[in-house]
Amino acid sequence: MDSLYKPFIESTANIIGQMTGLHIDLSDQVCEEGQEISSLGVTSIVTFAGVRRGRFLIDMVPELAIKITNNITGVEYKDVREYDVLTSIAELNNIIAGDAITVLNDELKLSLRLAPPIVLCGKEPIISIPKLSSVTIHGSSDHGDLKINIAFEKEG
Amino acid sequence: MDIKYILPFLDGLKNILEQFGMVGIERSGLYKKDYMAVDKDVTAIIGIVGELRGNVAYSMSQDTAKNIVSSMMMGMPVEELDEVARSGIGELSNMVTGNASILLSENDVNVDITPPSIVFGSDIYFIISSVDTITVDLKTPAGEVEVNIGLEI
């Protein structure tokens, strides 16, 4: 497995487990993705720049986003559009991406810096990342599906 | 948020659109948002890292996006927002934010930009910053463009 992707995959399962107590099953299959990604409902994107530029995306069904927020905050939220739900998913993504790029910066000296996380939800949004090839890893939980997508610009 | 951090993004958009022959760009609104609720169909988001940290999002209708891409392709008609057209909007946000980063560096603020993400869909809620988002509406010959700037300063 590409050493650029592995830290993101490991951090996703570890941090969601540590912060929420939820078990996420991530597939062993790494799928090459086209330039467009259809959202499952709630998507958070963290972009980064340094020696390489790229982007980490975490996408999940609304039910899982609500369950994650409820477990983190201890408050029962019902609507995915509530501010606390969206910002919890954004912060979760920030922590996962921060953990992963710390590993990449230590091991590969990439000097990556994260932009703040973006989070969005809406009616079947499509996210396009021109000129950036990416990989997707699908996952599941007792509260619905999620996927992560990792993209790096080619060197040079 | 200091105006000196906002103007480079507006000037960047104006500079780049003018290079494609779109002149007479006017500011038509300025407001502050907690949430960034967008009722426009196309949003290009690009991150900023370095001495400033944040995201900038350019939102527009499909028709505006088509008009802009058409101008970028020397007036070639754009019937639909296909892969080439979407790539054009991504490139536009890259050029605008790159231009803004040069303008910022002239004021001794050094930033780097991250790859753009383009989001399509209706009735989309975004949060692009944990602090406030400043929104500026710009009237351009191609249609209205909403520039949302969320910087952690």
Side-chain angles (χ1 to χ4, degrees), chain A residues 36 47 53 81-83 113-114 116 118-121 125-128 131, chain B residues 35 45 49-50 53-55 86 91 113-114 118-120 123-127:
Chain A
E36 294 191 346
T47 52
R53 301 200 308 163
R81 289 194 172 203
E82 286 192 69
Y83 185 83
R113 289 167 296 174
L114 294 179
I118 302 153
V119 63
L120 61 103
C121 69
I126 292 172
I127 298 123
S128 166
K131 298 193 292 186
Chain B
Y35 256 87
I45 308 158
V49 295
R53 186 170 176 266
N55 289 296
R86 289 192 287 261
E91 199 49 51
I113 61 174
T114 69
I118 327 295
V119 181
F120 302 89
D123 195 18
I124 296 181
Y125 274 88
F126 287 91
I127 297 175

PDB file of all heavy atoms in Angstrom, chain A residues 36 47 53 81-83 113-114 116 118-121 125-128 131, chain B residues 35 45 49-50 53-55 86 91 113-114 118-120 123-127:
ATOM      1  N   GLU A  36     -14.561  12.834  -9.871  1.00  0.00           N
ATOM      2  CA  GLU A  36     -15.795  13.259  -9.205  1.00  0.00           C
ATOM      3  C   GLU A  36     -16.242  12.255  -8.155  1.00  0.00           C
ATOM      4  O   GLU A  36     -16.164  11.050  -8.375  1.00  0.00           O
ATOM      5  CB  GLU A  36     -16.906  13.438 -10.234  1.00  0.00           C
ATOM      6  CG  GLU A  36     -16.585  14.576 -11.162  1.00  0.00           C
ATOM      7  CD  GLU A  36     -17.758  14.960 -12.021  1.00  0.00           C
ATOM      8  OE1 GLU A  36     -18.729  14.198 -12.104  1.00  0.00           O
ATOM      9  OE2 GLU A  36     -17.687  16.034 -12.602  1.00  0.00           O
ATOM     10  N   THR A  47      -7.766  20.290   2.959  1.00  0.00           N
ATOM     11  CA  THR A  47      -6.720  20.350   1.926  1.00  0.00           C
ATOM     12  C   THR A  47      -5.405  20.716   2.599  1.00  0.00           C
ATOM     13  O   THR A  47      -5.385  21.249   3.713  1.00  0.00           O
ATOM     14  CB  THR A  47      -7.066  21.381   0.844  1.00  0.00           C
ATOM     15  OG1 THR A  47      -7.369  22.620   1.468  1.00  0.00           O
ATOM     16  CG2 THR A  47      -8.249  20.934   0.011  1.00  0.00           C
ATOM     17  N   ARG A  53       0.987  18.868  -2.663  1.00  0.00           N
ATOM     18  CA  ARG A  53      -0.333  19.414  -2.321  1.00  0.00           C
ATOM     19  C   ARG A  53      -1.352  18.286  -2.435  1.00  0.00           C
ATOM     20  O   ARG A  53      -1.183  17.364  -3.243  1.00  0.00           O
ATOM     21  CB  ARG A  53      -0.738  20.543  -3.282  1.00  0.00           C
ATOM     22  CG  ARG A  53       0.230  21.707  -3.302  1.00  0.00           C
ATOM     23  CD  ARG A  53      -0.420  22.976  -3.849  1.00  0.00           C
ATOM     24  NE  ARG A  53      -1.077  22.783  -5.144  1.00  0.00           N
ATOM     25  CZ  ARG A  53      -1.978  23.639  -5.651  1.00  0.00           C
ATOM     26  NH1 ARG A  53      -2.339  24.722  -4.963  1.00  0.00           N
ATOM     27  NH2 ARG A  53      -2.520  23.420  -6.829  1.00  0.00           N
ATOM     28  N   ARG A  81     -28.258  19.123   9.756  1.00  0.00           N
ATOM     29  CA  ARG A  81     -27.878  20.502   9.435  1.00  0.00           C
ATOM     30  C   ARG A  81     -27.610  21.354  10.674  1.00  0.00           C
ATOM     31  O   ARG A  81     -27.308  22.538  10.549  1.00  0.00           O
ATOM     32  CB  ARG A  81     -28.975  21.171   8.599  1.00  0.00           C
ATOM     33  CG  ARG A  81     -29.020  20.593   7.207  1.00  0.00           C
ATOM     34  CD  ARG A  81     -29.840  21.435   6.280  1.00  0.00           C
ATOM     35  NE  ARG A  81     -29.690  20.928   4.929  1.00  0.00           N
ATOM     36  CZ  ARG A  81     -29.900  21.646   3.844  1.00  0.00           C
ATOM     37  NH1 ARG A  81     -30.270  22.889   3.948  1.00  0.00           N
ATOM     38  NH2 ARG A  81     -29.744  21.126   2.656  1.00  0.00           N
ATOM     39  N   GLU A  82     -27.741  20.756  11.856  1.00  0.00           N
ATOM     40  CA  GLU A  82     -27.436  21.541  13.057  1.00  0.00           C
ATOM     41  C   GLU A  82     -25.951  21.874  13.082  1.00  0.00           C
ATOM     42  O   GLU A  82     -25.111  21.045  12.710  1.00  0.00           O
ATOM     43  CB  GLU A  82     -27.850  20.758  14.305  1.00  0.00           C
ATOM     44  CG  GLU A  82     -29.360  20.737  14.472  1.00  0.00           C
ATOM     45  CD  GLU A  82     -29.795  20.242  15.823  1.00  0.00           C
ATOM     46  OE1 GLU A  82     -29.553  20.954  16.808  1.00  0.00           O
ATOM     47  OE2 GLU A  82     -30.370  19.150  15.886  1.00  0.00           O
ATOM     48  N   TYR A  83     -25.678  23.086  13.546  1.00  0.00           N
ATOM     49  CA  TYR A  83     -24.309  23.611  13.525  1.00  0.00           C
ATOM     50  C   TYR A  83     -23.343  22.654  14.230  1.00  0.00           C
ATOM     51  O   TYR A  83     -22.259  22.366  13.730  1.00  0.00           O
ATOM     52  CB  TYR A  83     -24.313  24.990  14.199  1.00  0.00           C
ATOM     53  CG  TYR A  83     -22.997  25.702  14.157  1.00  0.00           C
ATOM     54  CD1 TYR A  83     -22.618  26.422  13.030  1.00  0.00           C
ATOM     55  CD2 TYR A  83     -22.127  25.667  15.244  1.00  0.00           C
ATOM     56  CE1 TYR A  83     -21.402  27.085  12.979  1.00  0.00           C
ATOM     57  CE2 TYR A  83     -20.904  26.319  15.204  1.00  0.00           C
ATOM     58  CZ  TYR A  83     -20.554  27.030  14.071  1.00  0.00           C
ATOM     59  OH  TYR A  83     -19.349  27.683  14.026  1.00  0.00           O
ATOM     60  N   ARG A 113       1.106  21.415   5.578  1.00  0.00           N
ATOM     61  CA  ARG A 113       0.313  22.237   6.500  1.00  0.00           C
ATOM     62  C   ARG A 113      -1.148  22.141   6.072  1.00  0.00           C
ATOM     63  O   ARG A 113      -1.454  22.198   4.885  1.00  0.00           O
ATOM     64  CB  ARG A 113       0.772  23.697   6.450  1.00  0.00           C
ATOM     65  CG  ARG A 113       2.131  23.922   7.075  1.00  0.00           C
ATOM     66  CD  ARG A 113       2.669  25.284   6.735  1.00  0.00           C
ATOM     67  NE  ARG A 113       2.892  25.403   5.307  1.00  0.00           N
ATOM     68  CZ  ARG A 113       3.250  26.537   4.704  1.00  0.00           C
ATOM     69  NH1 ARG A 113       3.402  27.633   5.399  1.00  0.00           N
ATOM     70  NH2 ARG A 113       3.442  26.578   3.395  1.00  0.00           N
ATOM     71  N   LEU A 114      -2.044  22.036   7.060  1.00  0.00           N
ATOM     72  CA  LEU A 114      -3.465  21.849   6.762  1.00  0.00           C
ATOM     73  C   LEU A 114      -4.185  23.179   6.682  1.00  0.00           C
ATOM     74  O   LEU A 114      -3.977  24.054   7.519  1.00  0.00           O
ATOM     75  CB  LEU A 114      -4.148  21.064   7.879  1.00  0.00           C
ATOM     76  CG  LEU A 114      -3.784  19.606   8.135  1.00  0.00           C
ATOM     77  CD1 LEU A 114      -4.603  19.098   9.312  1.00  0.00           C
ATOM     78  CD2 LEU A 114      -4.030  18.762   6.909  1.00  0.00           C
ATOM     79  N   PRO A 116      -7.989  24.905   7.129  1.00  0.00           N
ATOM     80  CA  PRO A 116      -9.085  24.485   8.026  1.00  0.00           C
ATOM     81  C   PRO A 116     -10.055  23.549   7.291  1.00  0.00           C
ATOM     82  O   PRO A 116     -10.182  23.626   6.072  1.00  0.00           O
ATOM     83  CB  PRO A 116      -9.783  25.803   8.377  1.00  0.00           C
ATOM     84  CG  PRO A 116      -8.834  26.874   8.014  1.00  0.00           C
ATOM     85  CD  PRO A 116      -7.975  26.343   6.917  1.00  0.00           C
ATOM     86  N   ILE A 118     -13.428  22.000   5.736  1.00  0.00           N
ATOM     87  CA  ILE A 118     -14.710  22.468   5.183  1.00  0.00           C
ATOM     88  C   ILE A 118     -15.689  21.345   5.435  1.00  0.00           C
ATOM     89  O   ILE A 118     -15.327  20.173   5.340  1.00  0.00           O
ATOM     90  CB  ILE A 118     -14.601  22.629   3.656  1.00  0.00           C
ATOM     91  CG1 ILE A 118     -13.513  23.591   3.263  1.00  0.00           C
ATOM     92  CG2 ILE A 118     -15.934  23.040   3.043  1.00  0.00           C
ATOM     93  CD1 ILE A 118     -12.977  23.277   1.874  1.00  0.00           C
ATOM     94  N   VAL A 119     -16.930  21.670   5.733  1.00  0.00           N
ATOM     95  CA  VAL A 119     -17.935  20.614   5.841  1.00  0.00           C
ATOM     96  C   VAL A 119     -19.156  21.051   5.043  1.00  0.00           C
ATOM     97  O   VAL A 119     -19.471  22.246   4.987  1.00  0.00           O
ATOM     98  CB  VAL A 119     -18.251  20.289   7.317  1.00  0.00           C
ATOM     99  CG1 VAL A 119     -18.852  21.470   8.047  1.00  0.00           C
ATOM    100  CG2 VAL A 119     -19.137  19.067   7.453  1.00  0.00           C
ATOM    101  N   LEU A 120     -19.812  20.112   4.413  1.00  0.00           N
ATOM    102  CA  LEU A 120     -20.988  20.462   3.622  1.00  0.00           C
ATOM    103  C   LEU A 120     -22.000  19.331   3.644  1.00  0.00           C
ATOM    104  O   LEU A 120     -21.660  18.163   3.822  1.00  0.00           O
ATOM    105  CB  LEU A 120     -20.579  20.786   2.183  1.00  0.00           C
ATOM    106  CG  LEU A 120     -19.910  19.693   1.363  1.00  0.00           C
ATOM    107  CD1 LEU A 120     -20.910  19.102   0.371  1.00  0.00           C
ATOM    108  CD2 LEU A 120     -18.732  20.263   0.605  1.00  0.00           C
ATOM    109  N   CYS A 121     -23.258  19.723   3.498  1.00  0.00           N
ATOM    110  CA  CYS A 121     -24.318  18.739   3.320  1.00  0.00           C
ATOM    111  C   CYS A 121     -25.350  19.358   2.402  1.00  0.00           C
ATOM    112  O   CYS A 121     -25.437  20.578   2.276  1.00  0.00           O
ATOM    113  CB  CYS A 121     -24.939  18.324   4.647  1.00  0.00           C
ATOM    114  SG  CYS A 121     -25.890  19.600   5.443  1.00  0.00           S
ATOM    115  N   PRO A 125     -24.846  16.335  -3.343  1.00  0.00           N
ATOM    116  CA  PRO A 125     -23.755  17.111  -3.932  1.00  0.00           C
ATOM    117  C   PRO A 125     -22.712  16.224  -4.605  1.00  0.00           C
ATOM    118  O   PRO A 125     -22.508  15.076  -4.201  1.00  0.00           O
ATOM    119  CB  PRO A 125     -23.146  17.850  -2.737  1.00  0.00           C
ATOM    120  CG  PRO A 125     -23.629  17.169  -1.535  1.00  0.00           C
ATOM    121  CD  PRO A 125     -24.850  16.387  -1.888  1.00  0.00           C
ATOM    122  N   ILE A 126     -22.103  16.759  -5.631  1.00  0.00           N
ATOM    123  CA  ILE A 126     -20.996  16.076  -6.314  1.00  0.00           C
ATOM    124  C   ILE A 126     -19.756  16.924  -6.097  1.00  0.00           C
ATOM    125  O   ILE A 126     -19.786  18.151  -6.276  1.00  0.00           O
ATOM    126  CB  ILE A 126     -21.295  15.929  -7.815  1.00  0.00           C
ATOM    127  CG1 ILE A 126     -22.452  14.961  -8.006  1.00  0.00           C
ATOM    128  CG2 ILE A 126     -20.071  15.432  -8.579  1.00  0.00           C
ATOM    129  CD1 ILE A 126     -22.958  14.894  -9.427  1.00  0.00           C
ATOM    130  N   ILE A 127     -18.673  16.278  -5.676  1.00  0.00           N
ATOM    131  CA  ILE A 127     -17.427  17.007  -5.423  1.00  0.00           C
ATOM    132  C   ILE A 127     -16.435  16.637  -6.512  1.00  0.00           C
ATOM    133  O   ILE A 127     -16.168  15.461  -6.732  1.00  0.00           O
ATOM    134  CB  ILE A 127     -16.873  16.687  -4.026  1.00  0.00           C
ATOM    135  CG1 ILE A 127     -17.884  17.144  -2.964  1.00  0.00           C
ATOM    136  CG2 ILE A 127     -15.544  17.395  -3.774  1.00  0.00           C
ATOM    137  CD1 ILE A 127     -18.341  16.094  -2.065  1.00  0.00           C
ATOM    138  N   SER A 128     -15.921  17.642  -7.171  1.00  0.00           N
ATOM    139  CA  SER A 128     -14.992  17.408  -8.278  1.00  0.00           C
ATOM    140  C   SER A 128     -13.626  17.973  -7.902  1.00  0.00           C
ATOM    141  O   SER A 128     -13.532  19.044  -7.298  1.00  0.00           O
ATOM    142  CB  SER A 128     -15.545  18.115  -9.514  1.00  0.00           C
ATOM    143  OG  SER A 128     -14.567  18.199 -10.502  1.00  0.00           O
ATOM    144  N   LYS A 131      -7.837  17.505 -12.133  1.00  0.00           N
ATOM    145  CA  LYS A 131      -6.407  17.239 -12.294  1.00  0.00           C
ATOM    146  C   LYS A 131      -5.736  16.595 -11.077  1.00  0.00           C
ATOM    147  O   LYS A 131      -4.557  16.773 -10.842  1.00  0.00           O
ATOM    148  CB  LYS A 131      -5.657  18.528 -12.667  1.00  0.00           C
ATOM    149  CG  LYS A 131      -6.118  19.105 -13.993  1.00  0.00           C
ATOM    150  CD  LYS A 131      -5.194  20.163 -14.501  1.00  0.00           C
ATOM    151  CE  LYS A 131      -5.222  21.396 -13.638  1.00  0.00           C
ATOM    152  NZ  LYS A 131      -4.452  22.485 -14.171  1.00  0.00           N
TER     153      LYS A 131
ATOM    154  N   TYR B  35     -22.789  30.607   9.156  1.00  0.00           N
ATOM    155  CA  TYR B  35     -22.968  29.497   8.241  1.00  0.00           C
ATOM    156  C   TYR B  35     -22.757  30.034   6.843  1.00  0.00           C
ATOM    157  O   TYR B  35     -23.063  31.182   6.578  1.00  0.00           O
ATOM    158  CB  TYR B  35     -24.437  29.096   8.256  1.00  0.00           C
ATOM    159  CG  TYR B  35     -24.772  27.870   8.989  1.00  0.00           C
ATOM    160  CD1 TYR B  35     -25.033  27.924  10.345  1.00  0.00           C
ATOM    161  CD2 TYR B  35     -24.876  26.673   8.319  1.00  0.00           C
ATOM    162  CE1 TYR B  35     -25.398  26.793  11.025  1.00  0.00           C
ATOM    163  CE2 TYR B  35     -25.240  25.544   8.995  1.00  0.00           C
ATOM    164  CZ  TYR B  35     -25.504  25.597  10.342  1.00  0.00           C
ATOM    165  OH  TYR B  35     -25.873  24.479  11.007  1.00  0.00           O
ATOM    166  N   ILE B  45     -13.847  25.847  -3.946  1.00  0.00           N
ATOM    167  CA  ILE B  45     -13.258  26.164  -2.632  1.00  0.00           C
ATOM    168  C   ILE B  45     -11.762  25.913  -2.695  1.00  0.00           C
ATOM    169  O   ILE B  45     -11.323  24.895  -3.233  1.00  0.00           O
ATOM    170  CB  ILE B  45     -13.858  25.276  -1.526  1.00  0.00           C
ATOM    171  CG1 ILE B  45     -15.382  25.337  -1.572  1.00  0.00           C
ATOM    172  CG2 ILE B  45     -13.359  25.703  -0.152  1.00  0.00           C
ATOM    173  CD1 ILE B  45     -16.034  24.160  -0.915  1.00  0.00           C
ATOM    174  N   VAL B  49      -2.821  28.368   3.385  1.00  0.00           N
ATOM    175  CA  VAL B  49      -1.970  28.039   4.538  1.00  0.00           C
ATOM    176  C   VAL B  49      -0.762  28.974   4.541  1.00  0.00           C
ATOM    177  O   VAL B  49      -0.427  29.574   3.530  1.00  0.00           O
ATOM    178  CB  VAL B  49      -1.491  26.564   4.524  1.00  0.00           C
ATOM    179  CG1 VAL B  49      -2.638  25.600   4.680  1.00  0.00           C
ATOM    180  CG2 VAL B  49      -0.712  26.232   3.252  1.00  0.00           C
ATOM    181  N   GLY B  50      -0.130  29.097   5.693  1.00  0.00           N
ATOM    182  CA  GLY B  50       1.024  29.981   5.809  1.00  0.00           C
ATOM    183  C   GLY B  50       0.755  31.012   6.887  1.00  0.00           C
ATOM    184  O   GLY B  50       0.244  30.676   7.955  1.00  0.00           O
ATOM    185  N   ARG B  53      -4.482  31.452   7.541  1.00  0.00           N
ATOM    186  CA  ARG B  53      -4.988  30.097   7.391  1.00  0.00           C
ATOM    187  C   ARG B  53      -6.497  30.196   7.195  1.00  0.00           C
ATOM    188  O   ARG B  53      -7.170  30.898   7.963  1.00  0.00           O
ATOM    189  CB  ARG B  53      -4.647  29.294   8.644  1.00  0.00           C
ATOM    190  CG  ARG B  53      -4.998  27.829   8.563  1.00  0.00           C
ATOM    191  CD  ARG B  53      -4.401  27.083   9.744  1.00  0.00           C
ATOM    192  NE  ARG B  53      -4.833  25.696   9.712  1.00  0.00           N
ATOM    193  CZ  ARG B  53      -5.888  25.236  10.370  1.00  0.00           C
ATOM    194  NH1 ARG B  53      -6.612  26.035  11.119  1.00  0.00           N
ATOM    195  NH2 ARG B  53      -6.217  23.968  10.264  1.00  0.00           N
ATOM    196  N   GLY B  54      -7.002  29.558   6.159  1.00  0.00           N
ATOM    197  CA  GLY B  54      -8.440  29.633   5.946  1.00  0.00           C
ATOM    198  C   GLY B  54      -8.851  29.039   4.620  1.00  0.00           C
ATOM    199  O   GLY B  54      -8.094  28.296   3.996  1.00  0.00           O
ATOM    200  N   ASN B  55     -10.080  29.367   4.221  1.00  0.00           N
ATOM    201  CA  ASN B  55     -10.606  28.895   2.945  1.00  0.00           C
ATOM    202  C   ASN B  55     -11.305  30.051   2.241  1.00  0.00           C
ATOM    203  O   ASN B  55     -11.870  30.933   2.895  1.00  0.00           O
ATOM    204  CB  ASN B  55     -11.632  27.782   3.167  1.00  0.00           C
ATOM    205  CG  ASN B  55     -10.994  26.495   3.639  1.00  0.00           C
ATOM    206  OD1 ASN B  55     -10.216  25.880   2.927  1.00  0.00           O
ATOM    207  ND2 ASN B  55     -11.294  26.104   4.868  1.00  0.00           N
ATOM    208  N   ARG B  86     -15.846  22.033 -15.869  1.00  0.00           N
ATOM    209  CA  ARG B  86     -15.616  21.990 -14.414  1.00  0.00           C
ATOM    210  C   ARG B  86     -14.136  22.211 -14.108  1.00  0.00           C
ATOM    211  O   ARG B  86     -13.784  22.889 -13.156  1.00  0.00           O
ATOM    212  CB  ARG B  86     -16.096  20.650 -13.854  1.00  0.00           C
ATOM    213  CG  ARG B  86     -17.595  20.539 -13.856  1.00  0.00           C
ATOM    214  CD  ARG B  86     -18.044  19.361 -13.047  1.00  0.00           C
ATOM    215  NE  ARG B  86     -17.776  18.104 -13.703  1.00  0.00           N
ATOM    216  CZ  ARG B  86     -18.660  17.400 -14.394  1.00  0.00           C
ATOM    217  NH1 ARG B  86     -19.878  17.857 -14.532  1.00  0.00           N
ATOM    218  NH2 ARG B  86     -18.345  16.254 -14.936  1.00  0.00           N
ATOM    219  N   GLU B  91      -9.624  25.749 -12.401  1.00  0.00           N
ATOM    220  CA  GLU B  91      -8.447  26.517 -12.822  1.00  0.00           C
ATOM    221  C   GLU B  91      -8.641  28.004 -12.528  1.00  0.00           C
ATOM    222  O   GLU B  91      -7.712  28.687 -12.098  1.00  0.00           O
ATOM    223  CB  GLU B  91      -8.207  26.286 -14.318  1.00  0.00           C
ATOM    224  CG  GLU B  91      -6.826  26.631 -14.790  1.00  0.00           C
ATOM    225  CD  GLU B  91      -5.741  26.016 -13.912  1.00  0.00           C
ATOM    226  OE1 GLU B  91      -5.768  24.801 -13.636  1.00  0.00           O
ATOM    227  OE2 GLU B  91      -4.876  26.787 -13.480  1.00  0.00           O
ATOM    228  N   ILE B 113      -1.291  28.163  -1.440  1.00  0.00           N
ATOM    229  CA  ILE B 113      -2.680  27.744  -1.676  1.00  0.00           C
ATOM    230  C   ILE B 113      -2.739  26.237  -1.906  1.00  0.00           C
ATOM    231  O   ILE B 113      -1.790  25.626  -2.367  1.00  0.00           O
ATOM    232  CB  ILE B 113      -3.340  28.505  -2.850  1.00  0.00           C
ATOM    233  CG1 ILE B 113      -2.595  28.272  -4.168  1.00  0.00           C
ATOM    234  CG2 ILE B 113      -3.422  29.988  -2.538  1.00  0.00           C
ATOM    235  CD1 ILE B 113      -3.298  28.884  -5.386  1.00  0.00           C
ATOM    236  N   THR B 114      -3.893  25.655  -1.561  1.00  0.00           N
ATOM    237  CA  THR B 114      -4.079  24.202  -1.679  1.00  0.00           C
ATOM    238  C   THR B 114      -4.911  23.911  -2.947  1.00  0.00           C
ATOM    239  O   THR B 114      -5.451  24.843  -3.546  1.00  0.00           O
ATOM    240  CB  THR B 114      -4.795  23.649  -0.429  1.00  0.00           C
ATOM    241  OG1 THR B 114      -6.137  24.127  -0.429  1.00  0.00           O
ATOM    242  CG2 THR B 114      -4.100  24.059   0.859  1.00  0.00           C
ATOM    243  N   ILE B 118     -14.336  21.517  -6.304  1.00  0.00           N
ATOM    244  CA  ILE B 118     -15.525  22.134  -6.883  1.00  0.00           C
ATOM    245  C   ILE B 118     -16.730  21.310  -6.436  1.00  0.00           C
ATOM    246  O   ILE B 118     -16.733  20.085  -6.599  1.00  0.00           O
ATOM    247  CB  ILE B 118     -15.500  22.140  -8.436  1.00  0.00           C
ATOM    248  CG1 ILE B 118     -14.084  22.295  -8.985  1.00  0.00           C
ATOM    249  CG2 ILE B 118     -16.445  23.176  -9.003  1.00  0.00           C
ATOM    250  CD1 ILE B 118     -13.412  23.552  -8.710  1.00  0.00           C
ATOM    251  N   VAL B 119     -17.737  21.985  -5.867  1.00  0.00           N
ATOM    252  CA  VAL B 119     -18.922  21.278  -5.378  1.00  0.00           C
ATOM    253  C   VAL B 119     -20.122  21.693  -6.228  1.00  0.00           C
ATOM    254  O   VAL B 119     -20.362  22.885  -6.431  1.00  0.00           O
ATOM    255  CB  VAL B 119     -19.178  21.597  -3.884  1.00  0.00           C
ATOM    256  CG1 VAL B 119     -20.393  20.839  -3.380  1.00  0.00           C
ATOM    257  CG2 VAL B 119     -17.958  21.246  -3.047  1.00  0.00           C
ATOM    258  N   PHE B 120     -20.857  20.689  -6.728  1.00  0.00           N
ATOM    259  CA  PHE B 120     -22.057  20.926  -7.522  1.00  0.00           C
ATOM    260  C   PHE B 120     -23.265  20.384  -6.772  1.00  0.00           C
ATOM    261  O   PHE B 120     -23.172  19.323  -6.170  1.00  0.00           O
ATOM    262  CB  PHE B 120     -21.992  20.173  -8.865  1.00  0.00           C
ATOM    263  CG  PHE B 120     -20.814  20.545  -9.681  1.00  0.00           C
ATOM    264  CD1 PHE B 120     -19.629  19.856  -9.536  1.00  0.00           C
ATOM    265  CD2 PHE B 120     -20.884  21.591 -10.577  1.00  0.00           C
ATOM    266  CE1 PHE B 120     -18.527  20.195 -10.283  1.00  0.00           C
ATOM    267  CE2 PHE B 120     -19.779  21.933 -11.317  1.00  0.00           C
ATOM    268  CZ  PHE B 120     -18.597  21.243 -11.177  1.00  0.00           C
ATOM    269  N   ASP B 123     -29.072  23.643  -2.886  1.00  0.00           N
ATOM    270  CA  ASP B 123     -29.456  23.706  -1.477  1.00  0.00           C
ATOM    271  C   ASP B 123     -28.371  23.098  -0.569  1.00  0.00           C
ATOM    272  O   ASP B 123     -28.627  22.183   0.201  1.00  0.00           O
ATOM    273  CB  ASP B 123     -30.791  22.959  -1.294  1.00  0.00           C
ATOM    274  CG  ASP B 123     -31.427  23.278   0.045  1.00  0.00           C
ATOM    275  OD1 ASP B 123     -31.042  24.296   0.645  1.00  0.00           O
ATOM    276  OD2 ASP B 123     -32.287  22.503   0.488  1.00  0.00           O
ATOM    277  N   ILE B 124     -27.169  23.611  -0.708  1.00  0.00           N
ATOM    278  CA  ILE B 124     -26.036  23.054   0.042  1.00  0.00           C
ATOM    279  C   ILE B 124     -25.634  23.996   1.178  1.00  0.00           C
ATOM    280  O   ILE B 124     -25.557  25.203   0.990  1.00  0.00           O
ATOM    281  CB  ILE B 124     -24.845  22.797  -0.899  1.00  0.00           C
ATOM    282  CG1 ILE B 124     -25.255  21.732  -1.924  1.00  0.00           C
ATOM    283  CG2 ILE B 124     -23.616  22.329  -0.136  1.00  0.00           C
ATOM    284  CD1 ILE B 124     -24.188  21.358  -2.897  1.00  0.00           C
ATOM    285  N   TYR B 125     -25.409  23.408   2.345  1.00  0.00           N
ATOM    286  CA  TYR B 125     -24.894  24.162   3.487  1.00  0.00           C
ATOM    287  C   TYR B 125     -23.408  23.885   3.600  1.00  0.00           C
ATOM    288  O   TYR B 125     -22.990  22.735   3.585  1.00  0.00           O
ATOM    289  CB  TYR B 125     -25.548  23.700   4.791  1.00  0.00           C
ATOM    290  CG  TYR B 125     -26.838  24.385   5.094  1.00  0.00           C
ATOM    291  CD1 TYR B 125     -28.037  23.885   4.603  1.00  0.00           C
ATOM    292  CD2 TYR B 125     -26.867  25.529   5.884  1.00  0.00           C
ATOM    293  CE1 TYR B 125     -29.233  24.507   4.876  1.00  0.00           C
ATOM    294  CE2 TYR B 125     -28.059  26.153   6.171  1.00  0.00           C
ATOM    295  CZ  TYR B 125     -29.242  25.647   5.664  1.00  0.00           C
ATOM    296  OH  TYR B 125     -30.417  26.268   5.943  1.00  0.00           O
ATOM    297  N   PHE B 126     -22.619  24.948   3.748  1.00  0.00           N
ATOM    298  CA  PHE B 126     -21.191  24.794   3.953  1.00  0.00           C
ATOM    299  C   PHE B 126     -20.818  25.450   5.272  1.00  0.00           C
ATOM    300  O   PHE B 126     -21.427  26.450   5.655  1.00  0.00           O
ATOM    301  CB  PHE B 126     -20.402  25.603   2.912  1.00  0.00           C
ATOM    302  CG  PHE B 126     -20.407  25.057   1.530  1.00  0.00           C
ATOM    303  CD1 PHE B 126     -21.382  25.454   0.619  1.00  0.00           C
ATOM    304  CD2 PHE B 126     -19.417  24.196   1.110  1.00  0.00           C
ATOM    305  CE1 PHE B 126     -21.361  24.988  -0.674  1.00  0.00           C
ATOM    306  CE2 PHE B 126     -19.392  23.737  -0.186  1.00  0.00           C
ATOM    307  CZ  PHE B 126     -20.363  24.122  -1.088  1.00  0.00           C
ATOM    308  N   ILE B 127     -19.783  24.944   5.907  1.00  0.00           N
ATOM    309  CA  ILE B 127     -19.072  25.735   6.912  1.00  0.00           C
ATOM    310  C   ILE B 127     -17.622  25.724   6.456  1.00  0.00           C
ATOM    311  O   ILE B 127     -17.023  24.653   6.341  1.00  0.00           O
ATOM    312  CB  ILE B 127     -19.222  25.175   8.330  1.00  0.00           C
ATOM    313  CG1 ILE B 127     -20.687  25.212   8.756  1.00  0.00           C
ATOM    314  CG2 ILE B 127     -18.379  25.975   9.318  1.00  0.00           C
ATOM    315  CD1 ILE B 127     -20.976  24.579  10.097  1.00  0.00           C
TER     316      ILE B 127
END
